[in-house]
Amino acid sequence: MAWQRKILRVDLTKGTCTAEPLNMDWAQDYLGQRGLATKYFCEEVDPKVDPLAPENKLIYATGPLTGTMASTGARFSVITKGPLTGAIACSNSGGYFGAELRFAGWDMIILEGKSPIPVYLHIENDKARLLPADEIWGKSTWDTEAILKKKHHDPLTRVSSVGRAGESQVMFAAIVNDLHRAAGRSGVGAVMGSKNLKAVAVRGTVGVGNLRDPKGFMQATVAAKKVLADNAVTGQGLPKFGTQVLMNVINEMGALPTRNHRDVKFEDANRIGAEAMHEKRPTDGRANLVTNQACFGCTIACGRISKIDETHFSVVNKPEYWGASGGLEYEAAWALGAATGVGDLEALTYANFLCNEDGIDPISFGATVGAAMELYDLGLIKESDVGFPLLFGSAEVLTKLTEMTVNGVGFGKEIGLGSKRLCAKHGRPELSMSVKGQEFPAYDSRGIQGMGLAYATSNRGACHLRGYTVASEVLGIPVKTDPLVTEGKAGLVKAFQDATAVFDSSGLCVFTSFAWTLADVQPQLQAACEGDWSMEKLELVGERIWNLERQFNNAAGFTHKDDNLPQRLLSEAVKEGPAKGLVNGLDKMLPEYYALRGWSKEGVPTLETTQRLGLSA
Amino acid sequence: MTSPQTVRLALKLYASLADFLPLEARKNNRLPLELPLGTTVGQVIAQHNLPLKMCHLVLVNGVFIPPQERAGWTLSDDDELAIWPPVAGG
Ligand code: SF4
């Protein structure tokens, strides 16, 4: 049990909503959420599909522990083929939406085709219908949520929607739920917009009660919560400082990509990190950070809620932005800040509000602005192209470009292409700091070598959340390894990738892995789910999911040549700090990684590997 | 001028360890120090009463110093000694 055993198939072309039984054989092989939805996706969608064509599908998927009493059981994923990358896309979000979808009795929603008119999907327990989106098309995600709650006379309706960026198919458009939680990466919002689907609004009162062993589950979740509470990171560090605590750590290490990876240290890092968010402002005597916030059922509560200084230039005439809202997480603060050279915390918070309000991925957006600033610096983008000089470090430029990108006006349309297309257009494709078209997050892989391999082999393009070796190389979780060497990193990356695939398929948040290992997750899954969920099985499931995603990408046309890094990271040595003189040693790690994975030299899973994992060759 | 008998360096304390800094140093998380030549990382930690359990991530000029090396790690002029309690992000 644990699964609701029911999926909702929505044919947007025909306007139909149909309930189907969940394929329980597949659930035993792929668990749920990321893994199970990827299985459905690979079975149903041609890997060569144009991501923005009606033939692409978009799957909302929960895990068997989503909506249960397990800590962090809030998570759901959106699976599709990403327009930014052309690879499998899987974007994970928290908040309250995923749990509500399960309370309504569903494991998954498969959205296919394209609606002839803008619509939204309304779900109330087993009743699901498509309704015209007249009142919400053209509106932000914030307005959409407010309008739908009012329209359906239910403040507990949970809404996941695209803003204007998704409607206009910005290549890194996100899908936002609960105001500031997002399925953020790879342009999943553009796929939703391409289908004329504005939002999914759900209200569920059925609950999740079908656990295999309720008493055992209660015991397992209580024990696991104690581990989180007793751990200094998940019990104290994350609630108080959030992910933003990393800003100064990574900067001190000389691994904070700055100004489009030209530098590895940002002189203003201390003005935009966690400590700065706690600092009282001279203007109003208040701190940027108002409080922390938890997703459904989470006992960590790492989320940031912030309030912008009302006298700051970005909002002085915009009282609508004076309230408290989703504040900066580390990746967003890095991309909007260090990647562009902007050290103004209030400007970054405003830009982040806009990213949430109209649904764009702040990582890809900020990194693309950084790339555009470098192109301007090199004289390849002119002031006349933009309307103002694109200077590194200008908070005014950052806030203006954010407004232009979410509204799809002027040069904002070019930023909306993402850095790969933008840099190619201006004749310098190598200046896009991306892998498979997706921009890097906040770690320079010359100073944290394992991350270079993690980025190069990530199935959804450059990403930290597919194999977060930073935990080991920087933070010492579970054991400290040397960030400057390549030895041992192939095995480390594989282990992180496979374990993360299990977390992402369970309904739990990967941040628990700062305190939990799979051995803490296993008893919770075993008590909740029928079947064998031993450690051996979980390890196999994680590896199977990783290989299935890889097979999809290979069939979509990716090859080992795409497991690569931009030339800058492979040939321009770091100028200062511990990594001085180093480039990333991808060539030393990749062959070992392929061998450990059981892949050919061309990066294709061998017959032996596919047979061992029960995958079709 | 640094006298030949002393070293000048900076102690940087972050996250909840910032509470161990004097008020004026908290804004930048940075306290300049002049210490006798030969002072070790372990001695600075002890002098500032930093609980050992909270000295999780100890970096000198960005390089991690493992717990067993802290007592013997001698600090030099212009060193930046940065310390965090157990933290993580993503
Ligand atoms: S740890 Fe943070 S992101 Fe994860 S579920 Fe909890 S509040 Fe949400």
Side-chain angles (χ1 to χ4, degrees), chain A residues 71-75 93-95 181 234 238 243 293-304 329 507-512:
Chain A
S71 184
T72 78
R75 312 301 298 190
S93 183
R181 288 285 163 181
T234 48
L238 276 174
T243 57
Q293 196 181 55
C295 300
F296 171 84
C298 175
T299 54
I300 301 174
C302 78
R304 303 291 90 184
E329 313 292 341
L508 303 177
C509 179
V510 74
F511 286 176
T512 55

Side-chain angles (χ1 to χ4, degrees), chain A residues 592-610:
Chain A
E592 187 189 348
Y593 173 83
Y594 281 3
L596 283 173
R597 280 248 168 254
W599 294 353
S600 70
K601 288 194 172 58
E602 283 70 45
V604 178
T606 61
L607 192 60
E608 197 192 328
T609 301
T610 53

Side-chain angles (χ1 to χ4, degrees), chain A residues 21 29 33 47 62 92 94 103 108 223 252 255 271 273 278 311 334 337 377 383 387 401 404 491 493 496 525 571 583:
Chain A
D29 287 343
Q33 201 180 346
T62 64
N92 183 309
F103 296 163
M108 235 188 251
E252 283 288 327
R271 294 179 59 204
H278 279 267
T311 64
W334 162 77
D377 196 53
E383 188 173 334
L401 281 181
M404 289 164 76
V493 167
F496 269 89
L525 281 171
S571 63
V583 297

Side-chain angles (χ1 to χ4, degrees), chain A residues 330-581:
Chain A
Y330 172 55
E331 302 297 336
W334 162 77
L336 300 168
T340 64
V342 175
D344 178 339
L345 182 68
E346 304 300 320
L348 306 192
T349 308
Y350 171 66
N352 192 57
F353 278 17
L354 295 188
C355 290
N356 287 334
E357 185 183 22
D358 263 304
I360 56 171
D361 167 18
I363 302 181
S364 281
F365 167 70
T368 302
V369 171
M373 286 172 164
E374 180 161 12
L375 291 168
Y376 175 83
D377 196 53
L378 296 170
L380 297 165
I381 290 178
K382 306 266 180 301
E383 188 173 334
S384 55
D385 297 332
V386 187
F388 45 87
L390 272 188
L391 295 171
F392 273 123
S394 166
E396 287 80 4
V397 167
L398 174 75
T399 55
K400 251 193 254 178
L401 281 181
T402 319
E403 291 162 358
M404 289 164 76
T405 304
V406 296
N407 290 312
V409 297
F411 191 72
K413 283 194 203 134
E414 296 221 11
I415 296 288
L417 296 172
S419 68
K420 181 181 164 192
R421 290 168 178 84
L422 180 75
C423 292
K425 189 172 168 190
H426 292 279
R428 296 293 298 274
E430 77 282 7
L431 292 181
S432 165
M433 293 298 120
S434 62
V435 173
K436 300 181 178 74
Q438 179 157 286
E439 289 74 14
F440 289 114
Y443 313 90
D444 193 304
S445 62
R446 292 168 292 188
I448 308 174
Q449 292 282 325
M451 285 308 288
L453 181 63
Y455 292 147
T457 58
S458 160
N459 287 327
R460 68 167 186 176
C463 172
H464 58 297
L465 292 171
R466 284 296 171 274
Y468 192 63
T469 63
V470 171
S472 167
E473 293 182 277
V474 178
L475 307 167
I477 303 170
V479 285
K480 183 80 175 72
T481 51
D482 184 347
L484 300 178
V485 304
T486 54
E487 287 77 30
K489 297 299 164 62
L492 193 69
V493 167
K494 178 182 179 295
F496 269 89
Q497 288 174 337
D498 291 349
T500 304
V502 176
F503 278 90
D504 286 349
S505 302
S506 66
L508 303 177
C509 179
V510 74
F511 286 176
T512 55
S513 66
F514 296 129
W516 290 350
T517 64
L518 273 189
D520 298 284
V521 177
Q522 186 274 332
Q524 301 181 72
L525 281 171
Q526 186 62 77
C529 306
E530 67 194 10
D532 161 35
W533 295 99
S534 62
M535 286 296 286
E536 297 71 32
K537 164 102 179 262
L538 289 175
E539 281 160 16
L540 197 69
V541 167
E543 191 178 0
R544 182 181 294 134
I545 294 166
W546 190 267
N547 277 269
L548 182 66
E549 292 173 339
R550 176 74 180 192
Q551 285 185 314
F552 180 89
N553 284 351
N554 285 346
F558 288 94
T559 70
H560 64 287
K561 294 196 184 109
D562 299 296
D563 294 340
N564 208 347
L565 296 171
Q567 206 47 42
R568 172 164 285 167
L569 303 179
L570 298 173
S571 63
E572 288 180 27
V574 170
K575 290 173 280 200
E576 59 175 327
K580 190 173 174 182

Side-chain angles (χ1 to χ4, degrees), chain A residues 169-349:
Chain A
Q169 297 170 32
V170 167
M171 283 295 174
F172 45 78
I175 304 175
V176 177
N177 60 286
D178 302 293
L179 302 177
H180 34 245
R181 288 285 163 181
R185 301 222 69 192
S186 314
V188 294
V191 176
M192 189 149 155
S194 77
K195 297 191 170 304
N196 265 335
L197 178 67
K198 176 69 179 173
V200 179
V202 60
R203 181 71 170 103
T205 53
V206 177
V208 186
N210 50 351
L211 302 161
R212 188 182 66 82
D213 170 10
K215 199 165 162 219
F217 186 66
M218 172 89 94
Q219 285 164 348
T221 56
V222 167
K225 281 176 189 170
K226 185 163 182 332
V227 174
L228 294 179
D230 291 347
N231 181 283
V233 171
T234 48
Q236 294 143 40
L238 276 174
K240 177 138 193 228
F241 295 101
T243 57
Q244 266 276 62
V245 76
L246 283 188
M247 186 67 74
N248 285 306
V249 177
I250 304 300
N251 193 52
E252 283 288 327
M253 289 184 61
L256 190 72
T258 301
R259 289 174 280 269
N260 205 35
H261 285 67
R262 275 181 166 177
D263 302 303
V264 295
K265 280 192 152 202
F266 182 39
E267 59 284 0
D268 284 335
N270 202 29
R271 294 179 59 204
I272 62 170
E275 291 81 0
M277 287 174 77
H278 279 267
E279 188 77 30
K280 288 204 168 81
R281 297 181 285 237
T283 41
D284 60 1
R286 296 158 120 178
N288 175 283
L289 182 74
V290 177
T291 185
N292 64 330
Q293 196 181 55
C295 300
F296 171 84
C298 175
T299 54
I300 301 174
C302 78
R304 303 291 90 184
I305 298 295
S306 286
K307 199 173 170 315
I308 306 174
D309 177 356
E310 292 169 14
T311 64
H312 188 262
F313 80 85
S314 60
V315 297
V316 67
N317 295 316
K318 297 176 190 152
E320 65 272 30
Y321 295 104
W322 291 356
S325 191
L328 292 162
E329 313 292 341
Y330 172 55
E331 302 297 336
W334 162 77
L336 300 168
T340 64
V342 175
D344 178 339
L345 182 68
E346 304 300 320
L348 306 192
T349 308

